[in-house]
Amino acid sequence: MMRQGMRPAGRLGLLTALLVASGAAAQAETTDVLRQVQQYSRTTPQVSQVTSVSEFSDVKPTDWAFLALQSLVERYGCIAGYPTNPPTFKGNRALTRYEFAAGLNACLDRINELIAAAVEPLATKDDLAKVQKLQEEFAAELATLRGRVDSLEARTATLEAQQFSTTTKLAGDILFTVQGITGGDQSNGSGDQIQDNTTFGYRVYLDFNTSFTGKDLLYTQLVASDYPNFEDASGSPATRTSYEVDAPSTGGTVELATLQYSFPFADDKGTVYISAVGGFLQDVTDTLNPLDDPSLAALSNFGTRNPIYWLGGDAGAGISYEITEQLSIAANFLAVSGSDGSASPTSGLFGSSYGVLTQLTYRPIETLGLGFTYIRSYDAGGSLGEGEFRGDFDSLPGTVNAVSPFGGAASTSDSFGLGFSWQALEKFTWSGWVGYTLANAVESTVTAAGDVISQGDQASILNWAVTLAFSDVVGEGNLAGIVFGQPPRVISNDVASLKDGVAPYLAEGFWRWKV
């Protein structure tokens, strides 16, 4: 905006005013104010310094302000152009008053240098009067800039004084749940009625993300939660939700849920993961399921990922590496802490339950991903995956054998998974998986029911699922999903009585609405 009485002009016109004032020094106080615009001038596109006006491809000797520009460039060296090749000045472009103040400041700085080095007078009384007039003309803009700088300095000082940490960012997640159960027969064959019950619960996560180099990450997570599972609340077996499995109720006390450290290598093509507490086999790779989030996606445990990923977890180390832009490989070893005591001196990392993952992920195109997974696991307690392997159906009568296919005897297993994820449309993703587990008994025992387990007995376990994800449904940020599949089921067992006789299926639909 130009003041009344001033001729509207482009950059060349205003440079004439600069040339008129170029032979004088600014008053000390005004010069200090002008220096405040230096930060502003750094953010403008005038960053290509030139030493001759001939370097500007769009400035011609016939331009009416050519001599003014030539003097400022070649005599004072305080004019910069746009960083094109060759440089351009764009003399007919509209100029803001802030930009003019920034240019004036650069020229006054140069004049001060010339005055300090001169042995003869360089400015007349008339020159000083013109400079004073310019200073008065732009006093409002310079005062505004000074106020903006003072405000930014005050806000920066407040942020530095009140920041949580120079290396750590704090994030949080709060989940409130109202859930109920009702029905008739408990499905245990006795005809007992389900005890109707509605409960309210919560789970709170506090995440501390710490980085020492800008690329590494020390991840610490604290959790506090309080909610009963449906079986306890109603006296009946029932489906467990994903948040119950990922974060069992702590009774309201604060516990350490996760402690992990990761850092890159090989020019960021690879990453090393070290987990002390709360690690999962899938931490190093992609499960290829857009619904894999216990808080924001699938409601059921089974709907989050292929259950074979539960065959190991907690403490250990892993690595991921990008072989090409389309192909990556990941490996992870995690021992399971808990009742079998992986952290005890007698068991250690390799004497207790553990899982070893290897996965190849291939993305032939950006919207399509394929995953090939192999997991070798050892279960010292005879309950594969500590119950999470079966997840939602481990308490239903007739379908519990996938959790303990050998009646509690220690076992090893080899699991193979094939998964895919295809973003068919911008807001629609279709994914699915198949998982096959071959379990082997490594000790002989007799179950409470009288079943004889012999070392070397084998059992085959199968699971599969298809998921559909619809993003931004009836509003940005919303998510709708559909899950249908068969949780792990023992399809064959050398101990015939421990073969599953019921084929369980899960059908789930949900809509997450962002408020």
Side-chain angles (χ1 to χ4, degrees), residues 273-310:
Y273 301 83
I274 302 173
S275 176
V277 178
F280 294 101
L281 289 177
Q282 69 272 8
D283 289 343
V284 301
T285 190
D286 188 353
T287 62
L288 299 174
N289 183 12
L291 306 182
D292 188 355
D293 191 312
S295 297
L296 302 176
L299 298 174
S300 65
N301 176 45
F302 175 70
T304 59
R305 64 187 71 101
N306 190 330
I308 67 174
Y309 288 108
W310 294 104

Side-chain angles (χ1 to χ4, degrees), residues 15 62 333 370 466:
L15 284 172
T62 55
F333 170 88
L370 302 173
V466 175

Side-chain angles (χ1 to χ4, degrees), residues 495-510:
V495 184
S497 59
L498 294 180
K499 177 182 176 181
D500 279 337
V502 178
Y505 293 96
L506 177 139
E508 173 185 332
F510 69 88

